[in-house]
Amino acid sequence: MENDESLEQFRQWVKQRNPGEEEFLQAIDDVAGDVFSLYREKSEWYDACVLPRLCEADRIISFRVCWEDDNGDIHVNRGWRVQYCGAIGPYKGGIRFHPTVNESILKFLAFEQTFKNALTGLPIGGGKGGADFDPRGRSDREIMRFCQAFMDELYRHIGENTDVPAGDINVGRREIGYMFGQYRRLANTFSGALTGKDIEFGGSHVRMEATGYGLVYFLRCMLAKRDEEVDGQVIAISGAGNVALHAALKAGHLGATVVSLSSSKGALYCKNGIPQELIEEAMDHRAGSTKLLTRMADAGGGEWHQGARPWHFPCDIALPCATQNELDGDDARALIENGVTLVAEGANMPCTAEAVEAFHKACVPHAPGKASNAGGVALSGLEMAQNASFTRWDQERLNQQLLEIMQDIHRQCIADVEGDDGYINYHRGANLAAFRRVASAVYAQGIG
């Protein structure tokens, strides 16, 4: 049977088993298209059904979360933990609180996390969790009660050698602190069962900066392959959260002109660059991102574009840092027409399949999130190492290790995909490198 036919049959098999789970199907399709030929060539992997096995999570835990608001009213939410693949090490991945969270999204995130974690070279498997809880407008006490109720069930399924959750959208140090405190009380142990903690009780330096800084470190490697630097580049960034702001800050420090940030309501555009002091102030700001960005527009001489996305502004480099599928085919074509030369993802799967294809056809190097936004989980892995050895490493050491990990990920991505014309298919390179490590571990541990 021809590989293409087998690949199509495989895709249909996955689709039939996961009806309606569009994000999960997209993530599997993305990897399978790049690795299927390798999978068929490695007869031992093929005979052991390694790829189909990697399309099923080790386990999915779902549970009820009941909590009481400040008025004494009872609310019921749903919580999940997807422990996707533990072949390389303890499950590792964030917890997300958002009303759009569902099992399909968490499966897609955990699948991506498995391959992202493999690229770091650290002994960590892939997982993801969350709840359909909306923290907007909730008091600090309500968020505390929700986090404690969430951990009342989750604590049974995690631990430093089993599953080590971290933060994600709407889950920062405050929420991790509440969950860790409840875990410590319930499990009667003080261990590195969560990462992203405050520095006072087992957290790590550089953790907040890691994903955004790591993205820029990866970008530097991409530019170095073209004998270019970050200095002088015009960069469009989406989002206004932790990743976007730290990427903007680091890029500015290296001499780039960052012209945009965005929210779900619109985009901030500053043709001459968003002032660094406004980015630094935004990191400590508690206001909603839209209000924050409109204030930044007024203060920095920029423009607020209601309902717009930042991909139609002229730029050299695009860094999508908001959410999945935020950059579609039309956005990609607009970026190409405006002269974009590089794209690196700061979020999980922010580019649609159509957008990725458009970049490939135009020979615009595009780094997938599993490679370019791996800095956060890399630092989480280093926090785990510090917790295990009861030590705390300084910022300089951690920043250097983060840089080295991102450089190594870049080396893996370009190992065997650079074309004669100099074009590097980072997307395929990342998938191949990650799949080799995960598949090797799965195969070596036998059927089960």
Side-chain angles (χ1 to χ4, degrees), residues 152-380:
D152 282 346
E153 175 61 31
L154 186 65
Y155 90 96
R156 312 167 197 275
H157 310 289
I158 65 174
E160 59 184 331
N161 295 312
T162 304
D163 184 352
V164 186
D168 197 81
I169 292 174
N170 290 328
V171 178
R173 284 187 175 177
R174 175 183 59 172
E175 290 76 19
I176 290 293
Y178 291 148
M179 285 190 279
F180 180 77
Q182 190 72 347
Y183 173 84
R184 180 181 59 79
R185 289 184 285 269
L186 291 168
N188 193 29
T189 184
F190 194 107
S191 65
L194 290 95
T195 59
K197 305 180 291 294
D198 274 339
I199 199 73
E200 291 84 0
F201 50 92
S204 176
H205 292 299
V206 192
R207 180 61 190 88
M208 292 293 290
E209 302 94 330
T211 308
Y213 281 20
L215 172 62
V216 177
Y217 293 155
F218 193 93
L219 174 62
R220 284 173 66 185
C221 294
M222 296 177 74
L223 288 166
K225 283 293 293 179
R226 303 153 59 109
D227 296 320
E228 297 178 22
E229 298 179 352
V230 176
D231 186 26
Q233 303 286 343
V234 176
I235 300 180
I237 297 177
S238 66
N242 181 57
V243 178
L245 292 173
H246 279 101
L249 187 67
K250 176 57 75 172
H253 286 166
L254 295 175
T257 300
V258 177
V259 295
S260 72
L261 293 167
S262 70
S263 74
S264 60
K265 305 296 183 183
L268 163 66
Y269 177 62
C270 292
K271 182 177 181 180
N272 296 321
I274 302 171
Q276 287 282 284
E277 59 270 19
L278 291 182
I279 296 172
E280 291 174 353
E281 290 175 11
M283 291 176 179
D284 298 322
H285 211 289
R286 289 278 181 163
S289 57
T290 300
K291 290 182 179 179
L292 174 63
L293 294 177
T294 55
R295 291 175 188 172
M296 291 173 72
D298 293 337
E303 304 167 353
W304 172 252
H305 294 256
Q306 184 72 20
R309 290 184 284 192
W311 313 128
H312 296 256
F313 306 136
C315 64
D316 302 315
I317 294 167
L319 303 179
C321 296
T323 191
Q324 66 263 16
N325 290 328
E326 59 166 295
L327 196 161
D328 61 23
D330 290 338
D331 296 326
R333 286 183 282 273
L335 283 167
I336 293 164
E337 290 172 7
N338 280 328
V340 74
T341 63
L342 291 175
V343 180
E345 297 181 350
N348 294 302
M349 206 170 71
C351 297
T352 66
E354 184 183 1
V356 173
E357 183 63 24
F359 291 135
H360 289 334
K361 285 184 177 179
C363 291
V364 173
H366 162 260
K370 62 173 63 72
S372 51
N373 88 339
V377 74
L379 232 296
S380 282

